[in-house]
Structure formats: structure tokens, C-alpha cells
Amino acid sequence: MTISEKVAYIQGLYDGLGLDREKSGEARILSEVLDVLREVGQQLDGVDAAMDQFDEELDALGDTVADLEEAVFDDEDEQDEDLSGFGDGDEEEDFFQIPCPTCGEDLLVDDEALAAGVVDCPVCGGKFALSFEDEDDSSEE
Ligand SMILES: [Zn+2]
């Protein structure tokens, strides 16, 4: 039951009482209140109708956007794979060589030596600790 229908029902009750709004102040007030309620109900009906129309237009707009997305972004998924192959053929070596501080032999510093922080020289048998401290350039002239 909508508000308009409820107002019409109350209006019917009011009319059924046979009140004389010319002689009864209460009857007049009730009649005025019913008039206001009827207007409120009519305006709400108009709002509902407008909302229904708005819904329809919004649905149509959503369909149009979906069609546009399909037209513009079609095949988009197929392009996502390309990024994974980036950098192939350009592998960086994960080790480097440093000269042995004792005998000058080039020593391979691999991940294992880096993790241990110590390099064993196979030529002279010396051990030395790896140091990655930056040179202090401020001492330069
Ligand atoms: Zn050495």
C-alpha cells in the first residue's frame, strides 16, 4: 500500500464520518491535513516515477559503456604476457672477480663467498674478509 493509497483510505474514513468542516474546527483541520498528505503522496509518486526512469537510463548508459569497453579494450588480455620476457639475453653475472691481496691472483667471488664474507685464495691459500665499505672521497684534494 503506497502513501497515496493510505491517504485515500483515511480520506474515505473522514468522509464517512460526515463531519461538517464549516461548523467543526477539528474537522476543518483534519481536512487540511488530509489535503497536505495527499499532495505529499502525489509528489512521492512523481519521485518514484522519476527514479524508475533514471534507473532505465542508467542501465542503458551502463550497457553503452560496456560496449565501448569491449570495442576499445578488446584483446587487452593477450598483451599482458609480453612483460614477462623482458630482459632475456641480458643476464647479469652473479659473481665478480677481485685480486688476491696477498698474491694478486684473480679470485672468483660467488654468492657463497659473499654470504660467508670470506674468500679463500686457492693459489696462496690465504683468507681475507670481504669489505664493501665505500671509499671516502672527501679525502681527495
Ligand atoms: Zn692469493
Side-chain angles (χ1 to χ4, degrees), residues 114-131:
L114 278 175
V118 175
V119 176
D120 296 317
C121 178
V123 177
C124 67
K127 288 189 176 185
F128 59 96
L130 292 170
S131 174

Side-chain angles (χ1 to χ4, degrees), residues 48-62:
D48 283 345
M51 285 295 291
D52 287 344
Q53 186 177 356
F54 185 71
D55 275 346
E56 288 180 14
E57 291 176 0
L58 199 60
D59 284 345
L61 192 62

Side-chain angles (χ1 to χ4, degrees), residues 2 7 12 17 27 38 47 68 83 89 99 107 122 135 138-139:
T2 68
V7 172
L17 290 176
R38 187 161 49 245
V47 169
L68 283 174
L83 290 177
L107 302 178
E135 298 286 337
S138 64
S139 62

Side-chain angles (χ1 to χ4, degrees), residues 31-44:
S31 177
E32 295 293 335
V33 169
L34 280 169
D35 284 345
V36 172
L37 285 176
R38 187 161 49 245
E39 283 187 31
V40 169
Q42 286 172 353
Q43 289 195 13
L44 282 178

